[in-house]
Amino acid sequence: SYVATGQTLYKLDDADILAKLKQVRSELSLAKLNESRLSELLHGESVRQEDYDVALSKLQCLEATEELLIVELEKTSIRAPFSGMVGITKAQVGSFVTPGMPLVSLQEQHKIKIQFSVPEKYLSHIKIGSTVFFTSSINEKQWQAKVMATESGIDIMSRAIIVHAQVNNPSQLLKPGMSAKVFFSTVE
């Protein structure tokens, strides 16, 4: 199915963080009240500066803890970094997940990147912004793609350079990972 940028894909268990946040907010309310009271008493010189400083420090510490917990809470939502089509999920409800574990594939379908190698003798014919043509296995239609990037050097084993081109795919006939035959002009 299609997901938009920022849409929640997975929600991790956050009960412990929510409980800590509730506790910190309760302590924060009391710390704000104490700081306010001591501030008024400090102006009337009924309390020592040291007592006020301790109350202010506790307030600031609790505010920092609240911010930290909010950041931790945000990390429990795994969101789509870009719009695209999600594949089959690799994690089910109740699964134990770890950082770096693949959960689902997400692929942008409206613009497809094509990666191909060009032998070094044709290097002068491939420039960023130039046009290449290709066909895919789904039909014999000739597609047009724009060269977006090239590797900085030649691969010493193949004596070729890796090229990335991009094609608009509004009909979504092309799918990421499909094979393609790439053509480009070698006429100067």
Side-chain angles (χ1 to χ4, degrees):
S1 65
Y2 182 83
V3 294
T5 302
Q7 184 174 338
T8 300
L9 301 176
Y10 293 93
K11 181 72 174 152
L12 304 179
D13 183 18
D14 60 2
D16 57 335
I17 298 170
L18 287 170
K20 288 176 190 173
L21 190 57
K22 185 176 180 179
Q23 177 187 5
V24 166
R25 286 183 172 157
S26 176
E27 291 174 15
L28 192 55
S29 294
L30 181 59
K32 285 179 182 176
L33 191 59
N34 283 340
E35 186 274 335
S36 178
R37 286 178 186 156
L38 289 175
S39 176
E40 289 176 20
L41 291 173
L42 182 63
H43 292 299
E45 297 182 10
S46 299
V47 72
R48 298 180 318 185
Q49 179 70 43
E50 181 183 352
D51 293 336
Y52 173 75
D53 291 344
V54 168
L56 180 61
S57 176
K58 179 158 178 75
L59 173 64
Q60 291 170 339
C61 183
L62 287 168
E63 287 173 339
T65 302
E66 180 186 37
E67 288 176 26
L68 178 67
L69 288 171
I70 290 170
V71 169
E72 290 296 318
L73 189 61
E74 187 61 32
K75 288 180 184 178
T76 63
S77 291
I78 299 173
R79 301 181 185 283
F82 55 87
S83 298
M85 295 294 287
V86 291
I88 298 170
T89 187
K90 295 166 183 64
Q92 304 303 322
V93 174
S95 295
F96 182 76
V97 297
T98 58
M101 180 179 170
L103 300 175
V104 69
S105 64
L106 174 63
Q107 297 179 330
E108 209 279 307
Q109 302 279 321
H110 297 289
K111 290 184 180 182
I112 302 290
K113 180 177 76 172
I114 302 161
Q115 179 176 308
F116 57 97
S117 299
V118 175
E120 65 183 336
K121 70 180 184 178
Y122 298 116
L123 199 56
S124 63
H125 302 288
I126 296 292
K127 303 219 181 320
I128 294 176
S130 64
T131 300
V132 295
F133 301 92
F134 70 96
T135 59
S136 71
S137 59
I138 57 171
N139 60 31
E140 291 303 311
K141 177 182 176 183
Q142 194 171 63
W143 300 80
Q144 183 176 327
K146 182 178 177 181
V147 174
M148 303 304 284
T150 62
E151 192 59 70
S152 60
I154 303 287
D155 178 65
I156 58 171
M157 299 300 283
S158 67
R159 306 306 307 162
I161 191 166
I162 303 290
V163 178
H164 286 184
Q166 187 172 307
V167 61
N168 289 329
N169 187 31
S171 60
Q172 297 185 16
L173 286 174
L174 301 171
K175 300 293 180 199
M178 290 178 81
S179 62
K181 291 182 184 177
V182 179
F183 309 92
F184 56 91
S185 175
T186 57
V187 179
E188 298 276 337

